[in-house]
Amino acid sequence: MKRFLGILLMLALLLGGTAFAVEATDAPGTPTQDVVLSLTANWLDEENTPYDLEVMEPDQLAMDTVTEIYKFVFEQDNRPVRYFPEETQRQIEEMLEGIVDPDALYMTEFMRLHAAEAEPETDLLAEMLVDVDYQSDQLILVVLGDTSDSENLVWTPVESRVVELGKVEFTVPQALMEELQGEDVLFSLLTVRKGARGGVISEEYWETEHIQLPSKTAKDSVKLAKLVSADGTQIEDDFELLIVEESEIIIRELALIREHVKEEEQPVCTWLPDEERDEIQLLLSDGLDRDELVVYDYLPLITKNYKDTYGDVISTFTFATPYEEDQQVVTVLGLPRETPVEGETLMDWAAQRAQVNENGEVEIVFDQLALIGMGEETGLLLVLCEPIAE
């Protein structure tokens, strides 16, 4: 029971001193398969024969690769295109010559696909419908990873385009399909930000008014960030991530979590659906079991003026909880389900990458679907971490 005390305490009230800032990241923090509404593929033969190309849940290779890309881009301050081998970079540069500088691209999607075993006789046309507002005139580039040798991934850019709102097409040459068929395939999508959101995103900070945090009597000053373009121009769409009052459904969900942990004496992670629990485990280093995690902090959050094409956003939170650098943390973001089931969570949950920096701040990578959803409903953020030594 001792290891569960943290959640019992912290779900009762938020500790004082919470603050945060936000900035856009140019690579996803976790795989983004949940944005896909449908994926169809057809051989470009006379019959337009269907082919089985499937979106899969992430495995360890997919999670390790997206982690590597995220660290390469965000933590080491590199551009996404430079993650790929030199030959792949050359191919990308040739495809984009005269159109855009490859370093202007950022990565919004990363996921694991599976290509059924076949005997390719033509090129393959794949059509992916996603819950992201890619525009028909927006530049995109799909880069596919051959995983047949997991130690030496082979990346190939393929012809790709947005044919209508949220509908992405990409063509896989016959020769490449001969290599990919029967294998898992890593899918990444590079794009440019639209309009005033072009170029590198940075932030300028300002202090907000004191705001009332939920479940507290003390007031706190929250530090936000205003997104600006690389030349300092203010972005017209002022994106904000805001702490708000608990909604009725969040109050009910927290009560259910307390009951699950306190009365049923279960680890907090066992309250979450299996898929999210699996993703949490993949985000943890070897030797730490997800069921050892406890919750010390939670926040109800909403977004204002978020655009799908921002991609993921990193928020840096300062809590009163004494998190230490490199302490293992993971966050989950819950949004209300349309049709809750009796005895189960009221939320759809998404696991999100997080880390503690040298200042004890928690850097959380919010994925685009979570950010979109928080524009319509109040989200519940739980910060899960290994128990803090007393």
Side-chain angles (χ1 to χ4, degrees):
M1 280 296 294
K2 185 176 181 180
R3 66 193 180 111
F4 303 138
L5 292 179
I7 190 170
L8 301 181
L9 220 67
M10 296 317 304
L11 291 180
L13 64 140
L14 281 173
L15 292 174
T18 303
F20 69 94
V22 294
E23 60 180 304
T25 178
D26 287 332
T30 54
T32 62
Q33 68 282 343
D34 290 338
V35 306
V36 180
L37 303 177
S38 66
L39 174 61
T40 57
N42 296 82
W43 297 112
L44 291 176
D45 53 19
E46 293 182 0
E47 291 78 23
N48 208 33
T49 310
Y51 171 72
D52 185 13
L53 187 63
E54 186 179 2
V55 179
M56 308 292 288
E57 289 297 315
D59 61 1
Q60 191 65 60
L61 176 62
M63 191 64 74
D64 288 346
T65 306
V66 77
T67 296
E68 192 174 89
I69 294 172
Y70 170 77
K71 290 182 176 180
F72 177 85
V73 174
F74 181 69
E75 296 184 6
Q76 300 177 34
D77 196 26
N78 294 306
R79 303 305 303 152
V81 165
R82 304 308 166 191
Y83 167 80
F84 299 112
E86 289 186 3
E87 174 60 21
T88 307
Q89 292 184 43
R90 183 189 62 78
Q91 294 171 354
I92 292 173
E93 289 167 356
E94 289 179 353
M95 294 179 72
L96 297 177
E97 187 174 3
I99 303 174
V100 70
D101 184 340
D103 286 337
L105 301 176
Y106 73 113
M107 187 184 296
T108 46
E109 314 303 342
F110 183 93
M111 63 194 75
R112 171 188 170 217
L113 310 180
H114 183 75
E117 192 159 352
E119 295 183 4
E121 297 182 359
T122 65
D123 295 349
L124 182 76
L125 178 65
E127 183 178 275
M128 180 180 288
L129 183 63
V130 294
D131 193 13
V132 179
D133 64 352
Y134 296 114
Q135 306 292 317
S136 57
D137 61 342
Q138 185 169 351
L139 173 69
I140 65 166
L141 181 65
V142 170
V143 185
L144 301 178
D146 183 347
T147 67
S148 54
D149 181 355
S150 61
E151 298 297 322
N152 297 284
L153 301 180
V154 178
W155 295 93
T156 307
V158 297
E159 181 185 345
S160 39
R161 68 207 69 84
V162 181
V163 293
E164 60 184 72
L165 184 66
K167 186 177 290 187
V168 172
E169 281 188 354
F170 57 97
T171 305
V172 188
Q174 177 185 348
L176 181 56
M177 278 308 307
E178 290 175 351
E179 301 296 326
L180 299 179
Q181 57 89 26
E183 302 286 348
D184 281 354
V185 180
L186 296 180
F187 171 98
S188 64
L189 188 149
L190 303 170
T191 188
V192 292
R193 292 187 168 96
K194 297 289 289 179
R197 292 179 292 279
V200 178
I201 298 296
S202 59
E203 62 283 342
E204 59 182 32
Y205 296 101
W206 77 98
E207 294 293 334
T208 67
E209 298 177 357
H210 288 284
I211 65 171
Q212 181 72 37
L213 293 182
S215 303
K216 293 185 61 183
T217 55
K219 291 184 177 181
D220 293 274
S221 179
V222 177
K223 192 176 183 182
L224 300 176
K226 185 180 297 183
L227 296 178
V228 296
S229 62
D231 63 1
T233 304
Q234 178 60 49
I235 292 176
E236 295 175 2
D237 306 323
D238 288 335
F239 164 59
E240 294 180 283
L241 179 62
L242 302 173
I243 301 171
V244 294
E245 297 293 330
E246 298 168 11
S247 64
E248 180 60 34
I249 195 167
I250 285 179
I251 293 172
R252 289 163 55 200
E253 179 73 6
L254 292 176
L256 290 171
I257 294 174
R258 291 190 190 98
E259 180 182 354
H260 181 77
V261 173
K262 182 177 180 180
E263 298 181 17
E264 300 177 17
E265 300 186 6
Q266 296 295 315
V268 65
C269 262
T270 60
W271 178 248
L272 303 173
D274 290 343
E275 288 183 2
E276 281 64 43
R277 295 181 68 230
D278 290 344
E279 286 202 27
I280 287 172
Q281 189 62 61
L282 289 172
L283 285 168
L284 299 174
S285 63
D286 294 340
L288 179 60
D289 189 286
R290 61 197 175 191
D291 288 345
E292 297 179 27
L293 300 176
V294 295
V295 174
Y296 289 105
D297 292 286
Y298 79 89
L299 288 173
L301 298 169
I302 62 170
T303 57
K304 293 180 68 176
N305 301 320
Y306 175 78
K307 295 294 187 292
D308 303 16
T309 48
Y310 284 153
D312 288 2
V313 167
I314 299 173
S315 292
T316 303
F317 290 77
T318 302
F319 297 100
T321 304
Y323 297 109
E324 297 183 358
E325 183 179 7
D326 297 329
Q327 181 178 2
Q328 291 202 59
V329 293
V330 177
T331 65
V332 288
L333 194 285
L335 291 166
R337 285 181 171 176
E338 289 186 9
T339 53
V341 177
E342 182 70 26
E344 296 183 6
T345 175
L346 306 175
M347 302 280 192
D348 287 320
W349 294 95
Q352 301 179 135
R353 184 179 304 282
Q355 65 181 18
V356 183
N357 64 25
E358 67 275 9
N359 299 317
E361 301 165 329
V362 182
E363 297 175 349
I364 300 170
V365 186
F366 288 86
D367 70 58
Q368 58 188 225
L369 273 188
L371 293 162
I372 294 169
M374 285 190 291
E376 301 174 354
E377 299 274 4
T378 303
L380 173 60
L381 177 75
L382 301 181
V383 182
L384 296 86
C385 76
E386 54 187 323
I388 296 175
E390 296 181 358

